[in-house]
Amino acid sequence: MQRTQAMTSVQPDWENFYPRPISEKTPFFSKDGRLYDCLFAQQLNRELLEHLFSTADRLRAVTQKKDGADYVSALLSDKRAMLYFVQPSTRTFMSFLNACHILGIKTSEIRDTTTSSEVKGETPEDTVRTFSSYVDMIIMRHPAPGFVEKTAWLMNRTGRPVPIVNGGSGKDQHPTQALLDMYTLHRSFGGELDGKHIVMVGDLKRGRTVRSLSYLMKNYKNVSLSFVSPRQFCMEPDILEFLKRHNIPFTETEDFKGVMKSADAIYMTRIQDEHDKSGESKAVDYSPFHFRKEHLDLIKKTCVILHPLPRRHEIEVTVDDDPRAVFWRQERNGMWARAALMAYIFGVDGKIR
Ligand code: CP
């Protein structure tokens, strides 16, 4: 694989690089004009999204039969991936692991720093650099914002760079969740995503999934957003500025019932109290931001209800039986969307027919 000019030129120090606009940084995370490190939702443009959706659809179809599954599982049987997930995860970890297996990628994992040589004082940066001695891709979840990006930046300066995929970094980004969310909307609406009204509900301040999904809205025409949250946990100004810059209309409200009637999609999230510094979540009544069974009578017949999961009480379990509740399908879509992404990064997407 040819390294781009941007990768081989002398790069600035991390402290100078990190604050730069994403648009300036993305060339450092591409190779041969293709996405190489998947770090930010802003790297996913409409053309790439649609390509990944169709690749995911093809993967699903081809692997239904054993000979197809065997063919796909040989595509990347020469590759190994490391899953470095040092923040709790069920579905991102499991869906990446199984997506690797679908493509034949062999996997290893660290899920707890107490089992790595970090307990002997090795820095996380040296730890992840060590992985690149053994594997061809690193998929990471890390509690510190920017750490996954820093890993990719460091790795691209070494003699053995490997692609880095962000499986969730701090409060800032979860780009592959946004990819699978968009894939779920794409499948729910038969590919017609333009013109939709999307309502995001919950702890929007500290939820990285709603942040990454908001960035993807720039790829669609006439989309409008409503942000429904307790005022303590409203969407951060950087996302609102981004939407204004891209002429994407949005409203902010605490009146969930008032906006749900006009929604084409409702994206529920839980309270992110793992980020509490002094128990601030306990001071908030979250119940007005729950979706209850009686709300099913208020929303459109075509509205879909999503949730990145895990949930607590923000969607009543009895809602799950309604065909408009797509969050269990959304979870499974994650495996196919992530398999499509890895096939693309390794350049075998064209072989899935
Ligand atoms: N949606 C999501 O990121 O779930 P996990 O935390 O279980 O990976």
Side-chain angles (χ1 to χ4, degrees), residues 81 83 85 90-103 105-109 111 139 335 338 342:
L83 282 84
F85 274 59
T90 300
R91 64 223 85 230
T92 310
F93 178 81
M94 287 294 294
S95 62
F96 265 119
L97 187 73
N98 285 288
C100 285
H101 296 168
I102 288 167
L103 296 165
I105 302 172
K106 295 166 191 77
T107 54
S108 46
E109 65 192 60
R111 302 206 64 181
I139 306 159
M335 179 176 73
R338 287 169 171 141
M342 291 190 287

Side-chain angles (χ1 to χ4, degrees), residues 34-265:
R34 283 166 78 95
L35 178 88
Y36 181 73
D37 301 298
C38 180
L39 307 173
F40 323 108
Q42 296 94 311
Q43 290 173 285
L44 303 171
N45 61 31
R46 185 157 182 166
E47 186 186 355
L48 179 54
L49 284 168
E50 287 178 0
H51 177 66
L52 295 176
F53 299 161
S54 70
T55 305
D57 284 344
R58 287 202 304 280
L59 275 169
R60 297 174 103 111
V62 170
T63 56
Q64 273 180 13
K65 294 222 169 100
K66 186 175 182 313
D67 58 347
D70 289 346
Y71 168 75
V72 169
S73 71
L75 288 175
L76 290 171
S77 55
D78 57 331
K79 300 292 182 202
R80 293 182 297 277
M82 177 77 201
L83 282 84
Y84 181 74
F85 274 59
V86 294
Q87 201 187 25
S89 168
T90 300
R91 64 223 85 230
T92 310
F93 178 81
M94 287 294 294
S95 62
F96 265 119
L97 187 73
N98 285 288
C100 285
H101 296 168
I102 288 167
L103 296 165
I105 302 172
K106 295 166 191 77
T107 54
S108 46
E109 65 192 60
I110 285 183
R111 302 206 64 181
D112 179 354
T113 54
T114 63
T115 65
S116 92
S117 280
E118 286 175 71
V119 288
K120 299 177 210 162
E122 185 168 48
T123 62
E125 287 85 354
D126 280 3
T127 299
V128 286
R129 183 164 180 177
T130 299
F131 301 154
S132 80
S133 300
Y134 309 124
V135 299
D136 306 292
M137 169 179 272
I138 302 172
I139 306 159
M140 296 182 66
R141 171 170 289 194
H142 200 277
F147 183 76
V148 181
E149 181 188 344
K150 186 175 183 185
T151 303
W153 178 81
L154 277 169
M155 211 61 77
N156 287 337
R157 293 158 68 96
T158 69
R160 194 176 189 285
V162 298
I164 306 293
V165 179
N166 184 354
S169 57
K171 288 182 280 183
D172 60 347
Q173 283 266 2
H174 198 347
T176 65
Q177 178 71 45
L179 169 66
L180 76 92
D181 293 341
M182 233 43 239
Y183 180 45
T184 303
L185 291 170
H186 169 87
R187 285 175 71 81
S188 302
F189 297 131
E192 287 299 318
L193 291 167
D194 294 330
K196 298 290 186 257
H197 176 212
I198 297 170
V199 175
M200 300 190 194
V201 187
D203 183 348
L204 305 180
K205 184 183 176 73
R206 305 179 296 182
R208 58 192 173 199
T209 65
V210 284
R211 290 177 58 80
S212 289
L213 186 57
S214 297
Y215 285 127
L216 289 194
M217 295 302 153
K218 77 168 172 23
N219 294 303
Y220 299 93
K221 292 187 194 125
N222 302 321
V223 169
S224 60
L225 298 176
S226 294
F227 295 126
V228 185
S229 69
R231 86 192 133 65
Q232 296 91 330
F233 298 128
C234 59
M235 187 54 96
E236 290 277 27
D238 64 327
I239 297 291
L240 304 182
E241 280 305 315
F242 174 89
L243 296 172
K244 281 181 200 161
R245 254 196 334 275
H246 290 87
N247 297 316
I248 300 165
F250 64 87
T251 58
E252 294 184 276
T253 180
E254 292 189 64
D255 178 13
F256 185 20
K257 252 182 161 175
V259 292
M260 67 171 67
K261 297 174 188 121
S262 62
D264 294 304

